[in-house]
Amino acid sequence: MEFVELLLLCVAVLLLIFKPEQEKLAWWLTIGGWAVVVFMYVGHVSTAILGQLNL
């Protein structure tokens, strides 16, 4: 999943370098990359918290 996030950010940077008119798409790719990181963090933390509980 880290690869997907880095790939999205790389594509966003390449878009800004080669096609500056696609700035809005690059911005949404950056937000998508951040969303992937937040999703991974929340999934990791919630699993750690729920793993310690005796449900």
Side-chain angles (χ1 to χ4, degrees):
M1 290 301 288
E2 291 89 359
F3 178 74
V4 172
E5 187 258 336
L6 290 174
L7 186 66
L8 286 173
L9 292 177
C10 181
V11 169
V13 169
L14 290 174
L15 269 175
L16 288 175
I17 291 172
F18 294 112
K19 294 192 176 207
E21 64 273 3
Q22 296 288 327
E23 182 182 354
K24 187 172 274 197
L25 176 60
W27 176 248
W28 283 111
L29 288 174
T30 303
I31 291 174
W34 290 344
V36 168
V37 170
V38 167
F39 176 74
M40 288 189 322
Y41 175 75
V42 168
H44 175 74
V45 171
S46 67
T47 302
I49 292 171
L50 292 177
Q52 295 175 356
L53 297 176
N54 292 326
L55 296 176

